[in-house]
Amino acid sequence: NRLFVEIVEGCRLPVLRKNQEHEDEWPLAEILSVKEVSSRKLFYVHYIDFNKRLDEWVTADRLDMKKLQFPKKEAKTPTKNGLPGSRPSSPEREVVSICCTKTCEYCSYTIIAAKVHESNVGIVHNQDSQDSSDGIPTAPRMTGSLVSDRSHDDIITRMKNIECIELGRHRLKPWYFSPYPQELTSLPILYLCEFCLKYLKSLKCLQRHLTKCNLRHPPGNEIYRKGTISFFEIDGRKNKSYSQNLCLLAKCFLDHKTLYYDTDPFLFYVMTEYDSKGFHIVGYFSKEKESTEDYNVACILTLPPYQRRGYGKLLIEFSYELSKVEGKTGTPEKPLSDLGLLSYRSYWSQTILEILMDLKPDNGERPQITINEISEITSVKKEDVISTLQYLNLINYYKGQYILTLSEEIVDGHERAMQKRHLRIDPKCLHFTPKDWSKRGKW
């Protein structure tokens, strides 16, 4: 016991991780917090090189004290302006010319963001995948998801603070910190109205609220319905309370700082599933009313009970259908979460392969298509088309020109994937008229 007293925040040591899919393992972990419950010490650990959603409280018997490392004192980092505590400025980096025509200053900023997840989609750089707690840009971001500068984050925001959320018929275990009022974070269960997303401290309060809450679907306009799937468009200025509550819920499952209170510049597209009790939230994406970077998605999330069922791809497909109606190409705001990156790569791959496999030979010659044409047909931004073709390793240089080569393996894999993809957006069921927000003053 005397040894455990010496464990402080910042210590690192191997911790027994209970792995449900494989054998138990002892990865290196960092102690983020220590507390005592019923005279027993508990340690909040972050497994190094694992996603933060796996962080947890553990008991002392799961710590390998023989390999305990105490935190090192960090030297203050001087910068070019001589002020301590700031990060050194990024060196210029080599950029693949086909993918990026921006200035070096822009590229170095983008590369920093790229560190967060495997590679920055749309610009091809060789960056190692890192946990999303590292490599956030220090430059201010005037963009949709307001990604935080982690140098300002404190230890509190690195720890999950909500034990459990009850939302309709589902109980959800949050993955990350969300800034719900502090007095609610000690509750065993936080209750949410599944229609207006208001948070309440007890089942009694929820039941009382439900007698007064008239909503049976998200506020705003229903702009799509096919079968049991509907999409509602919500203006962050007109429905501020709902939008803020949606962001608080989403933050439980998104590892970057989403907007909390300034929802005015955003539209929210909420996907629901209908039954006799109402329209139940499945997921959503937010979108800036005006984006200088052609972002058609700021934050995107499928709630955990609905994941791995094709809904994530349906949300992405819907965002591009909106872009098609707007007559624009779009791209999601970076950095994407790890699950978001997987979903987008899969969607881009399937969408582009669908077009390539439908091409017909022209007068006996091999069929031809330009990157711009693929981009125009799909509304996928040109940089994302290029990065996907490179990711799939389809581009080859042959006799002085670039050609796309589809192997049997790629074709077979694509056909198998498309057979499993039962959920698709039907453009005929979309009733959406884009607004010109630039002419609407302050939205």
Side-chain angles (χ1 to χ4, degrees), residues 44 52-55 160 173-177 252-254 301-302 304 307 339:
Y44 193 86
K52 270 172 54 182
R53 76 174 72 101
L54 301 172
D55 295 1
K160 297 171 205 172
K173 282 273 191 189
W175 295 348
Y176 307 111
F177 172 89
C252 291
F253 306 100
L254 293 172
L301 173 71
T302 307
Q307 289 177 1
L339 297 177

Side-chain angles (χ1 to χ4, degrees), residues 63 69 87 122 152 184 218 223 240 242 260 292 346 380 391 433:
L63 308 180
Q69 306 167 19
R87 298 182 187 181
H152 296 302
L184 302 179
I223 60 171
K240 196 168 288 195
Y242 180 90
Y260 308 132
T292 54
S346 176
V380 175
Y391 171 72
T433 306

Side-chain angles (χ1 to χ4, degrees), residues 94-125:
E94 186 181 339
V95 179
V96 180
S97 59
I98 191 172
C99 298
C100 184
T101 56
K102 305 281 185 182
T103 64
C104 289
E105 181 185 344
Y106 177 86
C107 286
S108 74
Y109 168 73
T110 309
I111 291 169
I112 297 169
K115 284 184 180 179
V116 179
H117 298 293
E118 294 182 27
S119 66
N120 193 36
V121 181
I123 300 177
V124 180
H125 304 291

Side-chain angles (χ1 to χ4, degrees), residues 7-11 13 29-34 43-45 63:
I7 295 181
V8 293
E9 291 166 7
C11 282
L13 74 173
E30 180 184 350
I31 305 290
L32 298 187
S33 185
V34 183
F43 305 86
Y44 193 86
V45 300
L63 308 180

Side-chain angles (χ1 to χ4, degrees), residues 54-168:
L54 301 172
D55 295 1
E56 60 180 334
W57 288 99
V58 300
T59 49
D61 57 333
R62 289 172 61 182
L63 308 180
D64 184 351
M65 294 297 297
K66 294 195 274 307
K67 296 179 181 175
L68 177 64
Q69 306 167 19
F70 286 97
K72 293 173 184 162
K73 288 185 179 176
E74 289 183 17
K76 288 187 177 178
T77 314
T79 60
K80 59 184 176 184
N81 61 8
L83 295 173
S86 305
R87 298 182 187 181
S89 58
S90 304
E92 290 183 8
R93 318 220 183 203
E94 186 181 339
V95 179
V96 180
S97 59
I98 191 172
C99 298
C100 184
T101 56
K102 305 281 185 182
T103 64
C104 289
E105 181 185 344
Y106 177 86
C107 286
S108 74
Y109 168 73
T110 309
I111 291 169
I112 297 169
K115 284 184 180 179
V116 179
H117 298 293
E118 294 182 27
S119 66
N120 193 36
V121 181
I123 300 177
V124 180
H125 304 291
N126 292 323
Q127 293 288 341
D128 294 331
S129 171
Q130 295 193 8
D131 181 74
S132 51
S133 60
D134 299 320
I136 301 291
T138 53
R141 280 174 67 94
M142 303 307 294
T143 48
S145 64
L146 305 183
V147 177
S148 65
D149 172 0
R150 292 302 168 110
S151 65
H152 296 302
D153 274 2
D154 56 30
I155 200 74
I156 299 299
T157 62
R158 293 180 66 191
M159 295 167 53
K160 297 171 205 172
N161 59 331
I162 304 292
E163 185 67 30
C164 180
I165 289 174
E166 183 164 302
L167 179 71

Side-chain angles (χ1 to χ4, degrees), residues 112-241:
I112 297 169
K115 284 184 180 179
V116 179
H117 298 293
E118 294 182 27
S119 66
N120 193 36
V121 181
I123 300 177
V124 180
H125 304 291
N126 292 323
Q127 293 288 341
D128 294 331
S129 171
Q130 295 193 8
D131 181 74
S132 51
S133 60
D134 299 320
I136 301 291
T138 53
R141 280 174 67 94
M142 303 307 294
T143 48
S145 64
L146 305 183
V147 177
S148 65
D149 172 0
R150 292 302 168 110
S151 65
H152 296 302
D153 274 2
D154 56 30
I155 200 74
I156 299 299
T157 62
R158 293 180 66 191
M159 295 167 53
K160 297 171 205 172
N161 59 331
I162 304 292
E163 185 67 30
C164 180
I165 289 174
E166 183 164 302
L167 179 71
R169 61 180 178 272
H170 299 293
R171 282 200 172 170
L172 314 176
K173 282 273 191 189
W175 295 348
Y176 307 111
F177 172 89
S178 182
Y180 280 103
Q182 197 167 354
E183 63 269 21
L184 302 179
T185 60
S186 58
L187 300 173
I189 299 172
L190 181 62
Y191 294 87
L192 264 59
C193 169
E194 65 171 326
F195 300 113
C196 74
L197 302 184
K198 181 181 172 74
Y199 45 85
L200 302 122
K201 63 182 181 182
S202 69
L203 184 56
K204 204 172 206 174
C205 291
L206 175 64
Q207 288 166 342
R208 196 159 55 239
H209 165 80
L210 290 174
T211 62
K212 296 179 281 185
C213 183
N214 298 321
L215 280 181
R216 285 298 171 266
H217 59 75
N221 299 322
E222 186 182 11
I223 60 171
Y224 179 92
R225 184 187 293 191
K226 185 171 186 183
T228 58
I229 299 293
S230 287
F231 279 84
F232 290 82
E233 182 184 58
I234 294 136
D235 187 322
R237 184 180 68 82
K238 291 179 182 173
N239 298 106
K240 196 168 288 195
S241 177

Side-chain angles (χ1 to χ4, degrees), residues 353-384:
L353 285 169
E354 221 171 2
I355 287 167
L356 296 180
M357 288 170 64
D358 283 346
L359 289 175
K360 301 291 184 287
D362 186 19
N363 295 328
E365 297 288 314
R366 64 165 66 96
Q368 294 197 347
I369 191 167
T370 66
I371 300 291
N372 281 342
E373 285 169 341
I374 295 174
S375 183
E376 284 167 19
I377 295 165
T378 60
S379 276
V380 175
K381 204 171 180 183
K382 190 167 69 174
E383 289 84 354
D384 295 335

